[in-house]
Amino acid sequence: MTSTPIAAAEAKGLPIGALLGAMVSIQIGATFAKGLFPLIGANGTTALRLVVGALMLAAVLRPWRVRPSRAVLPWLIAYGVNLAALNLLFYAALARIPLGVAVALEFSGPLLVATLSSRRATDFVWVVLAVAGILLLSPFIHSGSALDPIGVMLALAAGGCWALYIVFAQKAGAELGSQTTAYGLVIAAALALPFGLAEAGTGLIAPAILVSALLVGLFSSALPFWLEMVALTRMPARLYGTLTCLEPALGALAGFLFLHEILSPLQCAGIAAVVVAAFGAALTTRPPVPSPE
């Protein structure tokens, strides 16, 4: 008799826990990746990240056991292409502006998804609070800090790709589940590799960077994308979009701890706002959509 409530609680907690794990992992991976920029550049790091991540997931998930149908193939291709664009744009931005700022600007994409898919007044309260936090974290209210305008535009473009990522991942994941990530990473790696080779050449396979490449591939691609797919196929887009309010906070924290980026009082207030909005949304949202078999 008690197993049903426990199972229901576990079913609701699984996608939330998976998404939180993905966000922590991807910020740790970003700090490793930024250390590779002086050696192989942003495009080289992106290509290496996607290739290593694709190989890891292919070895674990063996996606060839599940062949996509003709109906889902366009969504799967769109997912892979968008994944390549998202990573190339974000790492190009990260090479020009701080990690916390880049993540805050990139968040405009999932925030848009959360706003467009909201239906209740309570949802808009959390979205408004999240917007306030993002504004406090954004560089535009800090007139004393000069930012590369190209880096800002690249981060905003990555945010647009992030919004499309949510849509494409859910469409493809409805049929393929976690295998979507493995297929998508293979497509993204194939598209990003020419950009990486053009920038880094044979430096991509230099023995000195292989350990760092494995860490970047694991924490930035294989682990977080698989966890995100687990979350996306089990929760509404509104909840996903609002929970990812934690991304700027985690990015700013990772930048502070590992990249020595100093947090201002306004940035601390922004972190508090997005954390409250994220957990408020998790507590008040409707039950998640059941996972497709």
Side-chain angles (χ1 to χ4, degrees):
M1 295 295 291
T2 60
S3 61
T4 300
I6 294 175
E10 290 177 350
K12 187 174 182 178
L14 174 63
I16 294 176
L19 183 56
L20 292 176
M23 290 189 291
V24 171
S25 177
I26 207 164
Q27 298 308 325
I28 293 175
T31 62
F32 285 119
K34 201 161 186 176
L36 289 176
F37 287 175
L39 301 175
I40 56 175
N43 288 340
T45 303
T46 303
L48 207 56
R49 163 191 176 176
L50 292 174
V51 169
V52 172
L55 291 174
M56 287 180 176
L57 278 189
V60 173
L61 298 179
R62 293 177 286 178
W64 53 86
R65 298 181 302 173
V66 180
R67 294 186 179 181
S69 67
R70 290 186 179 182
V72 80
L73 193 58
W75 293 112
L76 182 59
I77 294 173
Y79 171 75
V81 171
N82 184 72
L83 199 56
L86 169 59
N87 282 273
L88 287 167
L89 289 168
F90 179 72
Y91 273 28
L94 192 58
R96 296 172 176 269
I97 57 179
L99 174 61
V101 173
V103 176
L105 294 172
E106 187 193 27
F107 181 74
S108 59
L111 183 60
L112 177 63
V113 173
T115 303
L116 294 178
S117 60
S118 294
R119 292 293 182 269
R120 298 179 300 173
T122 307
D123 299 324
F124 284 102
V125 170
W126 302 124
V127 170
V128 168
L129 184 59
V131 170
I134 296 303
L135 290 176
L136 291 174
L137 284 171
S138 72
F140 303 109
I141 63 171
H142 306 293
S143 57
S145 55
L147 288 173
D148 188 317
I150 297 178
V152 171
M153 295 303 296
L154 289 169
L156 290 173
C161 290
W162 194 355
L164 292 175
Y165 167 84
I166 298 172
V167 177
F168 294 151
Q170 287 191 322
K171 292 290 187 180
E175 176 183 316
L176 299 173
S178 60
Q179 303 291 353
T180 307
T181 311
Y183 277 116
L185 272 181
V186 170
I187 296 171
L191 293 174
L193 188 56
F195 292 93
L197 290 173
E199 182 168 10
T202 57
L204 291 178
I205 56 174
I209 67 168
L210 288 182
V211 174
S212 296
L214 290 173
L215 292 174
V216 171
L218 175 62
F219 286 105
S220 292
S221 292
L223 182 59
F225 288 144
W226 177 72
L227 288 173
E228 279 196 346
M229 186 54 58
V230 171
L232 278 168
T233 55
R234 290 169 171 82
M235 66 168 58
R238 179 184 69 252
L239 177 57
Y240 175 90
T242 311
L243 269 177
T244 47
C245 291
L246 284 171
E247 287 278 11
L250 294 173
L253 181 61
F256 172 73
L257 292 176
F258 303 111
L259 301 175
H260 309 295
E261 296 173 358
I262 304 301
L263 298 172
S264 70
L266 286 176
Q267 289 171 332
C268 291
I271 289 173
V274 294
V275 168
V276 171
F279 281 99
L283 292 174
T284 61
T285 191
R286 294 171 181 172
V289 176
S291 173
E293 295 297 333

